[in-house]
C-alpha cells in the first residue's frame, strides 16, 4: 500500500478575537483561572456575517494555493466537523461549490469530533489506495477540519464555554510512493462524557396521529420557558475530569501505537501534534514520557480548543513558521467526543 503526503495547508480564523479577560463581561471568570488550568489566552469567534462554511472554503482556497494546485485537480472533498451550518447539504458539498472545485467527485462530511482530522486522513489513505476514487487528472484530496463551537456554547456557563474557539484549516493530500503513512483510529461510545443534543431533540412537542407520535407541524410554537429549555439542550456539556482521564490515557497509548507502527520512537520523532484541548493534558503525558516541551507543537494559547480544526490548524501554523521542512516526521494524536481517538504518522 502506498503512503499519503500533505502537499499544502491553509487556515482561516474569525476576525473577532476574545482574550480571557473579555469573557468577564459574560461570566464570573479570570485570565488567571483559564490560563493556569488550560493554557488558553484567547479564542477567535464567528460574529456578524462570518460563517463556518465561508471559513472552510477560505481555508480550502489557501491550501490549494499553498500546494500550487488548481481546483480542477481535487478529486475528493471531506470535511471533518461536528458543528456544520446545515443538516443538509454537507459542508463538503458547500465548500466544493464556493471554492470553485468542479463537481462530479465525492464530497461528504465526517463527525468524529476532535479526532475528525485523523479519521479523515485514514479514510483518504484507504480510499485512494483502493483505486476507486480520484481520477488521474484529479489526484488530490481536500481534507478540511472546521468548527464553530461557539454555536454550542452557553456563555453564562463558565466551566465549558471558556475552553473553545472557532476556526478552519485544510490540507491537500495525495498518494505517495515515497512518504510513509501509518494510522490508527478507535471509538467507544460514551454519551455522558461530552455531548450536545441536536437542538430540541427531546423537547419538541409530538402530535399523536393514529396512535403514533410524530413531530409537530410547527415545533417552534412553544412557550418561552420551553424555548429556553430547547436551547439549553443544544449546549455542549462535559464531564471535565472524566474527559481529562480519558485524554491522558489515549494520548499516551496512541504515541505507543505510532511508535510501534512506524518503528520510530517518540524521542526520535521531530514533533508530536496533539489535539489542542488543554496544555495540562499534554504536559501530563509529556512529563510521564520524559519528553521535551519543544517536541509538542502547541497553539491553543491563541485559538482555544477548536475540536476537528485543531490538528490541521496546528499543522498550518507550523507550515507558516517554516517548521515543516522536507524530511520532517510527525505523530498526530486526536481525541474527543464519542468518545473517539486516533493517531497517525506523517512524513513531509
Ligand atoms: N472561571 C473561574 N472559575 C471556574 C471556571 C472558570 N471559567 N470554571 C469552573 N470554575 C470553578 C468551579 O466552579 C469550581 O469552583 P468551586 O471549587 O468553588 O466549586 C472550581 O473552578 C474548580 O472547578 P472544576 O470543574 O473542578 O475545575 P478543574 O480543575 O477540574 O478544571 C477543566 C476544569 C479545565 C475543564 C478540567 O477538568 C480539564 O482540564 N478537563 C479536561 C477536559 C478538557 O480539556 N476538555 C476539552 C474539551 S474535550 C476535548 O476536546 C476532548
Amino acid at each position: 500500500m502506498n503512503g499519503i503526503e500533505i502537499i499544502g495547508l491553509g487556515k482561516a480564523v474569525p476576525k473577532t478575537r476574545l482574550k480571557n479577560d473579555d469573557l468577564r463581561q459574560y461570566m464570573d471568570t479570570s485570565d488567571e483561572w483559564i490560563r493556569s488550568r488550560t493554557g488558553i489566552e484567547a479564542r477567535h469567534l464567528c460574529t456578524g456575517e462570518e460563517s463556518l462554511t465561508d471559513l472552510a472554503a477560505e481555508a480550502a482556497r489557501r491550501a490549494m494555493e499553498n500546494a500550487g494546485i488548481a481546483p480542477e485537480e481535487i478529486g475528493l472533498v471531506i470535511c471533518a466537523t461536528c458543528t456544520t451550518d446545515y443538516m443538509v447539504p454537507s459542508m463538503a458539498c458547500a465548500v466544493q461549490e464556493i471554492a470553485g472545485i468542479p463537481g462530479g467527485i465525492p464530497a461528504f462530511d465526517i463527525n468524529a469530533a476532535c479526532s475528525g482530522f485523523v479519521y479523515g486522513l485514514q479514510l483518504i489513505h484507504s480510499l485512494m489506495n483502493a483505486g476507486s476514487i480520484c481520477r488521474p487528472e484529479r489526484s488530490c484530496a481536500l481534507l478540511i477540519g472546521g468548527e464553530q463551537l461557539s454555536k454550542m456554547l452557553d456563555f453564562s456557563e463558565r466551566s465549558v464555554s471558556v475552553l473553545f474557539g472557532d476556526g478552519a484549516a485544510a490540507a491537500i493530500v495525495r498518494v505517495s510512493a515515497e512518504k510513509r503513512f501509518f494510522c490508527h483510529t478507535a471509538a467507544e461510545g460514551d454519551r455522558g462524557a461530552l455531548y450536545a443534543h441536536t437542538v430540541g431533540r427531546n423537547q419538541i412537542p409530538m402530535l399523536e396521529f393514529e396512535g403514533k407520535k410524530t413531530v409537530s407541524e410547527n415545533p417552534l410554537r412553544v412557550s418561552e420557558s420551553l424555548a429556553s429549555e430547547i436551547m439549553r439542550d443544544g449546549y455542549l456539556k462535559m464531564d471535565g475530569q472524566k474527559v481529562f482521564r480519558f485524554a491522558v490515557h489515549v494520548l499516551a497509548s496512541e504515541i505507543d501505537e505510532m511508535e510501534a507502527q512506524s518503528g520510530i520512537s517518540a524521542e526520535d520523532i521531530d514533533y508530536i501534534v496533539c489535539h489542542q484541548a488543554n496544555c495540562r493534558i499534554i504536559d501530563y503525558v509529556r512529563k510521564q514520557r520524559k519528553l521535551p516541551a519543544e517536541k509538542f507543537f502547541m497553539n491553543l494559547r491563541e485559538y482555544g480548543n477548536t475540536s476537528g480544526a485543531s490538528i490541521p490548524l496546528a499543522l498550518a501554523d507550523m507550515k507558516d513558521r517554516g517548521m515543516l521542512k522536507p524530511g520532517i516526521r510527525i505523530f498526530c494524536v486526536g481525541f474527543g467526543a464519542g468518545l473517539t481517538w486516533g493517531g497517525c504518522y506523517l512524513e513531509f
Side-chain angles (χ1 to χ4, degrees):
M1 216 187 216
N2 280 319
I4 50 172
E5 62 177 326
I6 293 180
I7 60 166
L9 286 155
K11 68 174 186 202
V13 292
K15 291 184 196 73
T16 304
R17 178 178 187 270
L18 273 85
K19 299 192 294 300
N20 290 340
D21 274 337
D22 296 326
L23 295 176
R24 293 175 64 187
Q25 57 191 297
Y26 309 105
M27 66 191 86
D28 177 18
T29 189
S30 68
D31 177 55
E32 198 281 321
W33 193 96
I34 301 171
R35 198 190 289 248
S36 62
R37 280 181 173 73
T38 70
I40 298 165
E41 292 176 15
R43 73 282 299 136
H44 295 245
L45 302 181
C46 289
T47 53
E49 296 296 299
E50 284 176 314
S51 79
L52 172 60
T53 306
D54 290 335
L55 288 182
E58 187 54 32
R61 275 194 217 101
R62 290 176 183 167
M64 288 188 281
E65 194 181 309
N66 177 242
I69 64 156
E72 289 73 17
E73 292 173 69
I74 300 289
L76 168 66
V77 182
I78 300 178
C79 284
T81 182
C82 58
T83 51
T84 179
D85 285 333
Y86 304 93
M87 292 298 284
V88 281
S90 68
M91 192 156 90
C93 286
V95 167
Q96 181 245 309
E97 183 188 4
I98 300 168
I101 298 166
I105 56 166
F108 56 92
D109 292 354
I110 55 171
N111 178 353
C114 313
S115 316
F117 191 76
V118 175
Y119 268 63
L121 286 176
Q122 187 180 49
L123 204 48
I124 288 171
H125 181 234
S126 306
L127 288 171
M128 286 187 142
N129 271 295
S132 58
I133 219 154
C134 292
R135 296 192 295 272
E137 69 280 14
R138 301 190 71 172
S139 60
C140 296
L142 168 63
L143 175 60
I144 301 166
E147 304 283 9
Q148 188 181 350
L149 273 311
S150 58
K151 282 193 266 199
M152 291 204 279
L153 300 178
D154 175 0
F155 282 97
S156 64
E157 208 289 289
R158 62 185 182 172
S159 64
V160 176
S161 59
V162 300
L163 305 175
F164 296 92
D166 303 337
I172 306 297
V173 185
R174 73 175 175 206
V175 165
S176 169
E178 292 82 39
K179 306 280 197 265
R180 300 188 312 150
F181 175 78
F182 301 100
C183 196
H184 170 257
T185 56
E188 189 161 328
D190 182 343
R191 287 170 294 167
L194 187 57
Y195 70 96
H197 279 302
T198 306
V199 171
R201 157 142 139 8
N202 288 335
Q203 277 82 5
I204 290 176
M206 300 288 184
L207 288 179
E208 286 267 345
F209 181 65
E210 293 181 346
K212 291 183 190 145
K213 283 192 167 175
T214 178
V215 176
S216 161
E217 256 174 38
N218 185 352
L220 296 180
R221 198 182 297 147
V222 294
S223 68
E224 226 170 82
S225 65
L226 187 51
S228 73
E229 227 177 281
I230 290 171
M231 284 304 294
R232 274 202 303 280
D233 210 26
Y235 290 138
L236 193 62
K237 295 166 194 76
M238 178 178 70
D239 179 341
Q241 286 166 16
K242 186 177 194 181
V243 172
F244 190 93
R245 287 193 298 276
F246 153 73
V248 294
H249 173 69
V250 297
L251 177 49
S253 71
E254 284 306 317
I255 292 173
D256 291 344
E257 178 73 29
M258 286 307 108
E259 285 182 315
Q261 289 201 25
S262 68
I264 298 170
S265 72
E267 285 75 19
D268 291 335
I269 201 81
D270 294 298
Y271 295 106
I272 301 176
V273 179
C274 304
H275 165 47
Q276 305 286 299
N278 186 322
C279 69
R280 288 202 307 184
I281 293 171
I282 297 172
D283 281 349
Y284 185 94
V285 174
R286 181 177 70 71
K287 285 179 186 152
Q288 199 180 44
R289 298 291 301 255
K290 299 188 173 57
L291 292 166
E294 310 79 70
K295 205 174 277 288
F296 289 79
F297 180 80
M298 307 267 281
N299 65 357
L300 102 156
R301 183 195 300 173
E302 177 59 25
Y303 304 118
N305 179 345
T306 57
S307 189
S310 93
I311 291 177
L313 209 47
L315 293 173
D317 271 356
M318 291 174 79
K319 184 261 303 172
D320 289 347
R321 294 180 202 183
M323 296 167 75
L324 300 182
K325 296 190 173 63
I328 289 289
R329 301 167 306 175
I330 293 180
F331 291 162
C332 295
V333 183
F335 46 87
L339 297 166
T340 60
W341 64 98
C344 69
Y345 165 84
L346 286 165
E347 291 181 355
F348 285 82

